[in-house]
């Protein structure tokens, strides 16, 4: 298997994103509608954070001692993405390889890596699922 394949070949280009000022419920709706688990948070196309479905579930559980309004639901629209997003997420550059992305994801704790270009402009996202699918294709 070619582990030195550019990450650009396996990433999702132009991923669905949110802005920090959007309500958490908007992010939850996007995650469900797009059948994805991670949303890069951008301002002027620059990566400023990331929010995942599990972050939203944790918020719902913290607010209600269990999920409210369905899995991961947050009844109170006063929470914005910036309240729960991970600021300054680990990301890789457009010149990164699959090997580099796999090494970072293998450390655990998260399952996606934003891919950024010059000046932290978001170019895509690569997930552990993307890497597993590549492995399956190559086996």
């Amino acid at each position: 298997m070619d582990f030195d394949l550019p990450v650009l070949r396996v990433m999702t280009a132009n991923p669905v994103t949110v802005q920090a000022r959007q309500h958490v419920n908007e992010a939850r709706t996007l995650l469900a509608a797009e059948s994805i688990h991670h949303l890069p948070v951008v301002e002027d196309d620059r990566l400023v954070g990331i929010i995942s479905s599990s972050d939203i579930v944790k918020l719902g559980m913290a607010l209600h001692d269990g999920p409210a309004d369905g899995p991961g639901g947050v009844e109170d629209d006063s929470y914005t993405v910036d309240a729960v997003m991970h600021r300054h997420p680990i990301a890789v550059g457009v010149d990164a390889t699959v090997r580099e992305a796999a090494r970072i994801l293998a450390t655990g704790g998260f399952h996606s890596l934003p891919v950024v270009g010059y000046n932290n402009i978001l170019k895509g996202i690569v997930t552990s699922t993307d890497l597993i699918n590549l492995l399956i294709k190559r086996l």
Side-chain angles (χ1 to χ4, degrees), residues 74-91:
V74 181
E75 291 174 347
D76 188 347
D77 258 352
S78 65
Y79 286 89
T80 56
V81 168
D82 65 345
V84 289
M85 73 181 190
H86 297 274
R87 297 179 189 281
H88 313 292
I90 295 174

Side-chain angles (χ1 to χ4, degrees), residues 21-132:
R21 295 176 304 280
Q22 286 183 259
H23 291 287
V24 169
N25 274 334
E26 292 178 82
R28 182 175 60 94
T29 299
L30 269 175
L31 288 163
E34 299 291 330
S35 296
I36 55 177
H37 302 285
H38 309 90
L39 286 169
V41 182
V42 296
E43 290 190 13
D44 298 322
D45 296 328
R46 287 185 176 82
L47 179 69
V48 296
I50 195 162
I51 187 169
S52 70
S53 53
S54 61
D55 296 329
I56 295 171
V57 169
K58 288 175 191 172
L59 175 63
M61 292 177 79
L63 291 174
H64 305 286
D65 292 325
D69 189 31
V74 181
E75 291 174 347
D76 188 347
D77 258 352
S78 65
Y79 286 89
T80 56
V81 168
D82 65 345
V84 289
M85 73 181 190
H86 297 274
R87 297 179 189 281
H88 313 292
I90 295 174
V92 294
V94 292
D95 58 343
T97 64
V98 167
R99 180 186 314 272
E100 292 170 285
R103 279 189 179 142
I104 294 168
L105 290 172
T107 63
F110 51 92
H111 301 281
S112 67
L113 285 171
V115 180
V116 295
Y118 175 75
N119 212 8
N120 219 34
I121 300 295
L122 182 68
K123 298 295 183 179
I125 190 168
V126 63
T127 67
S128 52
T129 301
D130 295 327
L131 298 181
I132 291 167

